[in-house]
Amino acid sequence: MKQSMSFIPTLREVPADAEIKSHQLLLRAGFIRQNASGVYSFLPLGKRVLQKIEAIIREEMERAGAVELLMPALQQAELWQESGRWYSYGPELMRLKDRHDRDFALGATHEEVITALVRDEIKSYKRLPLILYQIQTKFRDEKRPRFGLLRGREFVMKDAYSFHTSQESLDEVYNKMYEAYANVFRRCGLNFRAVIADSGAMGGKDTHEFMVLSDVGEDTIAYSDASDYAANIEMAPVIVTYERSDEPYEPLVKVHTPEQKSIEEVSSFLNVPKEKCIKSLLFKVDGRFVLVLVRGDHEVNEVKVKNLLEATIVELATPEETKKLMKCEVGSLGPIGVPEEVTVIADHAVKAIANGVCGANEEHYHYTGVNADRDFSVQQYADLRFIQEGDPSPDGKGTIRFARGIEVGHVFKLGTRYSETMNAMYLDENGRMQPMIMGCYGIGVSRTLAAIAEQYNDEHGLVWPVAVAPFHIHLISVNPKIDDQRQLADDLYEKLQKEGFEVLYDDRAERPGVKFADSDLIGLPVRVTVGKRASEGIVEIKIRRTGETEEVHVSQLTETLRRYLS
Ligand code: 9G3
């Protein structure tokens, strides 16, 4: 591609609203431009990187036995009404009406569409297993789009779906897809971890997220410092066991704690460590009120609450609901004297608190000398807290550390969650109708592009790995006005392309400094500069990643480039 005919609008200054490196650099280097909040155009260089990532994905999907198709982004509401998700998703699902006033959704994902497609065509077990995938634009109306392509409202996803007659077949394909994902992210040069994740509203059991380690990642990964255990913090189980100390039981006393609300305030006011305080949070779980207790120095893990109660919606009760039900503010909540209709569940650590402190369900009062087994009843003790750094790793090996990650992939064992609600049945070998067993597998393609940019950059700009770079070589003629320089550069442009190199040729009538600065910003792996020694047939090669340069005679150029680019 000749830059004089291309469209690569580079910027000198850092755009104000771009907070993270990848967002700043993709804008400055002319890879993307924002159209609306969370909605982007991929300019020529950005589009080429997308295509490189997609090519890697297609190779690995092929290897895993998946077949590519393309489904519509415009999805009729009827399908989402059949699966029930038309009603369970809120404003995040973008909905619209056609000219006949019929309801549609813009595809946020394609379980409904693919299940409807397969159920109409597949009737016999002989046609299974089947793995279908697409690479397509998805729409999700995020409340707070941010970080450029990392959290957009329109983005490119590879989504695959598999259909099986048995759990073993699903397990086999799940493992193949898991391997394919590891290959994709390794080939993209990403430092990633596969972590145990929560299947959330997707139903089904097993699920793994592929996380790229990054300080700007929105997810927290709990990993062991002595094994390969890694889990999304929402999922990591706590295996600590707690024993009540043999402290003699003190009497339960209601004490006046004026204006003391938070655990910090109460703990310092009563001069009691946080470990002896009981933190009580009132949740509305599918419409029912549940008081969740954790130790004062721990945090409630809502995903664990949701999974324990097999709930769909778990949200904190509003201050009004709290006041109406418990006759006090959230800062005075406690497990003693709880209204009948409120269920109390507690994390295991609460049971071992000796002579603790809790809210008295009365403004400005707390209890001291609180002992769980004597002073209040708990319907169920369970692992309800977030794991913390320093906790033992759930696999029993080593200690938990935290890292932040960008979720670039997510694989699920769906089971029959969709085939049952949408009647995707097949005739088994005994002539009986059975629901198909399904898996689904997503890669955020545009998010992967941003994750690569986030991992590969330096103070001069982007530094693309060869496998996904928009071009291999940045060919620069320093001064096109000088004939032998321009002539040699033109010849090399043709010659290198004939030899299979992808060349971006900066043939613009710009000052050399501008060309070199743009070249460092765009970040192609190798730069070939045709300058004052053109008359001797000497050009300069520069490796973007290391900055090392080398003068080479054009007769040695091809083999030198092959060496650098392999
Ligand atoms: C929606 C909206 C947002 C969503 C979903 C549906 C996430 C939704 C989960 C998945 C599961 C898998 C196939 C590829 C891999 C991931 N956010 N999910 O289902 F309507 Cl608005 O997308 N889908």
Side-chain angles (χ1 to χ4, degrees):
M1 188 196 289
K2 288 187 177 180
Q3 273 182 252
S4 58
M5 298 189 300
S6 182
F7 179 48
I8 306 172
T10 55
L11 303 169
R12 284 283 150 269
E13 71 290 345
V14 176
D17 62 346
E19 302 160 73
I20 62 170
K21 211 80 179 91
S22 57
H23 188 195
Q24 294 165 359
L25 290 173
L26 290 171
L27 286 168
R28 283 191 54 213
F31 281 68
I32 61 172
R33 279 295 182 273
Q34 177 173 318
N35 293 65
S37 162
V39 180
Y40 288 84
S41 294
F42 290 91
L43 308 191
L45 293 185
K47 174 62 178 166
R48 283 181 73 98
V49 177
L50 269 189
Q51 285 169 320
K52 292 285 180 78
I53 297 169
E54 289 169 9
I56 290 171
I57 290 173
R58 285 194 169 92
E59 279 172 29
E60 294 301 333
M61 286 298 107
E62 180 90 22
R63 197 195 310 260
V67 177
E68 186 172 9
L69 51 66
L70 180 62
M71 287 181 270
L74 209 47
Q75 303 183 5
Q76 51 180 334
E78 288 78 356
L79 290 181
W80 285 69
Q81 287 154 359
E82 271 189 64
S83 71
R85 295 208 292 179
W86 183 258
Y87 311 103
S88 56
Y89 273 92
E92 192 188 355
L93 179 62
M94 300 196 87
R95 303 163 201 249
L96 70 157
K97 286 180 179 299
D98 69 6
R99 62 193 307 168
H100 309 295
D101 210 29
R102 284 191 294 248
D103 286 321
F104 283 81
L106 284 181
T109 182
H110 282 70
E111 281 80 7
E112 284 77 3
V113 175
I114 194 78
T115 305
L117 179 66
V118 167
R119 79 177 167 197
D120 294 346
E121 309 299 334
I122 301 288
K123 304 293 181 197
S124 161
Y125 70 99
K126 294 180 185 135
R127 306 284 303 283
L128 299 175
L130 179 63
I131 319 171
L132 299 169
Y133 80 96
Q134 65 173 353
I135 298 180
Q136 204 222 58
T137 304
K138 291 281 186 292
F139 301 86
R140 292 179 185 177
D141 198 358
E142 296 286 345
K143 193 184 286 185
R144 268 183 306 282
R146 57 194 292 230
F147 292 174
L149 301 179
L150 284 187
R151 180 168 289 281
R153 293 195 292 167
E154 177 177 333
F155 53 94
V156 180
M157 183 197 275
K158 183 285 300 176
D159 44 326
Y161 305 85
S162 63
F163 300 83
H164 310 267
T165 58
S166 70
Q167 188 64 36
E168 294 69 32
S169 167
L170 169 58
D171 293 348
E172 191 186 325
V173 165
Y174 185 90
N175 295 336
K176 272 200 265 185
M177 292 300 259
Y178 186 107
E179 273 316 303
Y181 276 47
N183 293 342
V184 166
F185 299 123
R186 191 180 316 109
R187 291 176 63 185
C188 287
L190 286 170
N191 177 16
F192 72 92
R193 292 284 184 290
V195 307
I196 300 162
D198 174 57
S199 59
M202 294 308 293
K205 276 308 295 162
D206 271 346
T207 167
H208 285 83
E209 284 165 347
F210 285 77
M211 295 281 193
V212 170
L213 302 183
S214 159
D215 292 343
V216 302
E218 291 187 337
D219 294 86
T220 302
I221 304 160
Y223 68 94
S224 163
D225 60 3
S227 75
D228 60 4
Y229 177 86
N232 187 311
I233 189 171
E234 292 175 345
M235 277 311 280
V238 171
I239 60 168
V240 180
T241 52
Y242 302 91
E243 286 297 311
R244 185 188 185 285
S245 72
D246 54 8
E247 243 176 76
Y249 281 67
E250 289 170 9
L252 181 68
V253 176
K254 189 153 92 169
V255 294
H256 189 216
T257 50
E259 301 308 322
Q260 306 305 309
K261 298 188 180 338
S262 71
I263 292 291
E264 286 69 23
E265 288 167 342
V266 171
S267 142
S268 59
F269 183 83
L270 295 174
N271 194 20
V272 167
K274 285 167 52 171
E275 291 77 6
K276 294 189 109 174
C277 295
I278 294 174
K279 184 187 293 180
S280 308
L281 292 159
L282 187 63
F283 284 93
K284 198 160 63 172
V285 178
D286 288 349
R288 291 184 291 118
F289 287 103
V290 178
L291 192 69
V292 181
L293 313 179
V294 293
R295 206 170 73 183
D297 57 322
H298 293 155
E299 297 302 327
V300 173
N301 180 332
E302 292 184 22
V303 169
K304 289 182 178 175
V305 172
K306 189 154 78 92
N307 290 342
L308 177 78
L309 301 176
E310 294 173 0
T312 306
I313 311 258
V314 172
E315 52 200 353
L316 269 176
T318 63
E320 298 70 32
E321 288 166 333
T322 304
K323 186 95 178 163
K324 184 162 168 290
L325 189 66
M326 307 294 284
K327 312 286 180 264
C328 70
E329 311 272 326
V330 291
S332 306
L333 287 177
I336 297 172
V338 168
E340 269 303 297
E341 68 267 36
V342 176
T343 310
V344 181
I345 58 176
D347 180 73
H348 293 303
V350 169
K351 193 167 191 166
I353 294 176
N355 303 317
V357 167
C358 71
N361 288 325
E362 191 181 332
E363 288 303 300
H364 313 304
Y365 282 90
H366 282 75
Y367 283 110
T368 59
V370 179
N371 293 278
D373 51 359
R374 180 191 66 188
D375 302 324
F376 58 87
S377 60
V378 169
Q379 178 176 322
Q380 191 173 359
Y381 281 98
D383 167 16
L384 295 177
R385 74 170 172 87
F386 273 109
I387 200 165
Q388 291 178 335
E389 288 199 287
D391 279 338
S393 172
D395 65 359
K397 298 178 196 121
T399 305
I400 286 295
R401 319 278 314 123
F402 284 173
R404 302 197 65 71
I406 301 169
E407 178 192 337
V408 287
H410 202 156
V411 291
F412 293 77
K413 289 181 183 173
L414 283 178
T416 56
R417 152 104 177 67
Y418 289 92
S419 48
E420 266 166 6
T421 48
M422 298 184 69
N423 203 25
M425 314 296 280
Y426 69 94
L427 216 50
D428 71 11
E429 59 274 37
N430 306 321
R432 267 203 307 277
M433 292 296 271
Q434 303 283 2
M436 297 179 194
I437 296 169
M438 290 173 62
C440 67
Y441 320 85
I443 289 181
V445 182
S446 41
R447 187 180 269 185
T448 296
L449 187 156
I452 296 168
E454 192 64 33
Q455 190 172 317
Y456 289 93
N457 63 69
D458 65 14
E459 67 276 17
H460 303 298
L462 295 161
V463 186
W464 294 105
V466 173
V468 297
F471 292 90
H472 300 132
I473 294 164
H474 207 156
L475 175 64
I476 294 181
S477 62
V478 174
N479 185 343
K481 292 193 192 63
I482 301 176
D483 276 357
D484 61 354
Q485 281 191 33
R486 194 194 62 260
Q487 192 54 54
L488 178 56
D490 287 353
D491 296 348
L492 282 180
Y493 179 54
E494 298 309 326
K495 176 171 174 286
L496 291 172
Q497 287 186 103
K498 281 198 187 73
E499 288 166 352
F501 295 104
E502 296 169 15
V503 184
L504 177 63
Y505 179 17
D506 191 348
D507 60 342
R508 295 172 299 166
E510 288 279 357
R511 286 181 293 101
V514 167
K515 293 187 174 187
F516 292 133
D518 280 356
S519 172
D520 284 344
L521 191 53
I522 289 165
L524 300 185
V526 180
R527 179 199 299 169
V528 173
T529 303
V530 180
K532 53 189 178 307
R533 299 194 66 185
S535 54
E536 306 160 64
I538 303 282
V539 297
E540 183 200 69
I541 289 182
K542 179 182 176 186
I543 309 308
R544 177 67 183 82
R545 194 167 48 79
T546 61
E548 67 186 279
T549 61
E550 180 183 351
E551 292 208 324
V552 172
H553 188 271
V554 288
S555 58
Q556 309 297 313
L557 183 57
T558 301
E559 64 156 304
T560 312
L561 288 172
R562 288 216 195 289
R563 181 158 31 92
Y564 279 130
L565 288 167
S566 63

